[in-house]
Amino acid sequence: MTAELKSTTEGSTMVLTLSNPSQRNALGPEMYAAGIEALNGAENSDEIRSVILVGEGKWFCAGGSLQRLSANRDREPAVQAESIEALHTWVDSIRTFPKPVIAAVEGAAAGAGFSLALACDFVVSARDAVFAASYSNVALSPDGGLSWHLGRALPRQLASEWLMLGERLDASRLHALGLVNEITESGQALTAALAIAGKLNARAPNALASIKELLSEARGTTLVSQLSQERDHFVRNLHHANAGIGIAAFLSKQTPRYE
């Protein structure tokens, strides 16, 4: 069965499903290209206000296909480099996408599947789900931005433990460290993610886009520069039609309906 990315909509939320169930939703080049295309389309759609990434069946994503990686060892290194570049373009598109992206994790998120989950703005996980940076188990190193996300979210010693030992991590441990937003019962991650998406969809898209951009820039800039960016975003959003809608609704104790 070919790995593919399925796209459906639930109201104003696009649900992207990693589908390769015979290999626990292992990733492939087709998924990377489809993911980039889907986000490009969603960015230009006024109807889509959020995106959820989920795995088909009982797994989120087992990462890269070891069979494909083994076959690539007999090909030119450029072949694997090109594949990773495609994955990285998808990860970057998730981070720069101006709308919220939520990962709904069931079963396991391993390797690049872990990377994809951490690239999202929110992570909802089933209580019995596990996460694993399992690269070192097969003598490999991380991809998909995993070292970047863990290196910034965790103390160096803890990031070293997770990446070098490659052991399975309970969802509760990630939740305690702030890497998972919400824990659900098994089979309920997508439902909980849709509930979060519904709350986000009711908020002004321009304000959420500014928050996402500001958070992405915050760790790589100085306070003075960040203050300047906050000023510019605030002024731009104040003069957006949605600010008028939001302020008027608040003062009149009504529910706002943003453009």
Side-chain angles (χ1 to χ4, degrees):
M1 186 179 294
T2 303
E4 62 176 328
L5 188 71
K6 298 178 179 179
S7 176
T8 57
T9 56
E10 294 279 348
S12 297
T13 300
M14 173 183 285
V15 180
L16 299 177
T17 303
L18 305 169
S19 178
N20 188 7
S22 66
Q23 296 189 50
R24 297 175 175 176
N25 299 327
L27 300 171
E30 301 88 352
M31 282 191 190
Y32 308 152
I36 296 164
E37 182 179 357
L39 291 182
N40 285 339
E43 181 172 353
N44 296 318
S45 170
D46 293 335
E47 314 242 330
I48 299 299
R49 297 204 171 189
S50 60
V51 172
I52 293 175
L53 192 62
V54 67
E56 184 170 329
K58 297 181 178 180
W59 279 71
F60 180 70
C61 179
S65 165
L66 289 181
Q67 289 83 356
R68 182 168 55 83
L69 293 176
S70 181
N72 282 351
R73 282 174 44 79
D74 295 326
R75 306 173 75 180
E76 289 296 320
V79 172
Q80 185 59 42
E82 182 178 350
S83 176
I84 291 180
E85 283 295 334
L87 167 63
H88 289 178
T89 300
W90 187 17
V91 168
D92 185 60
S93 70
I94 292 172
R95 295 302 312 134
T96 58
F97 182 63
K99 303 174 185 182
V101 183
I102 306 168
V105 179
E106 297 278 355
F114 194 177
S115 301
L116 278 179
L118 290 188
C120 297
D121 302 297
F122 295 78
V123 179
V124 177
S125 174
R127 190 178 308 280
D128 57 357
V130 295
F131 297 77
S134 47
Y135 298 90
S136 69
N137 295 349
V138 289
L140 293 174
S141 53
D143 61 359
L146 191 57
S147 62
W148 190 92
H149 285 107
L150 292 182
R152 282 159 175 74
L154 303 174
R156 181 179 179 84
Q157 290 76 11
L158 196 52
S160 296
E161 174 193 332
W162 290 15
L163 291 172
M164 292 184 183
L165 294 180
E167 295 173 342
R168 291 156 64 99
L169 304 161
D170 292 338
S172 59
R173 189 175 186 192
L174 271 74
H175 184 252
L177 290 165
L179 292 170
V180 165
N181 296 87
E182 184 176 341
I183 297 285
T184 74
E185 295 306 315
S186 179
Q188 295 301 307
L190 178 57
T191 299
L194 284 167
I196 293 174
K199 295 177 183 179
L200 293 166
N201 294 345
R203 296 182 178 270
N206 56 294
L208 297 186
S210 284
I211 292 168
K212 182 165 181 174
E213 184 176 335
L214 286 166
L215 287 173
S216 293
E217 293 173 346
R219 289 186 178 270
T221 190
T222 64
L223 174 59
V224 171
S225 177
Q226 189 73 1
L227 290 172
S228 176
Q229 290 298 316
E230 286 187 345
R231 176 200 64 213
D232 293 347
H233 279 275
F234 190 98
V235 171
R236 184 162 63 248
N237 287 319
L238 178 62
H239 289 276
H240 192 286
N242 280 333
I245 294 170
I247 293 170
F250 183 84
L251 292 175
S252 62
K253 298 183 179 180
Q254 302 293 316
T255 300
R257 295 181 63 85
Y258 294 112
E259 298 177 355

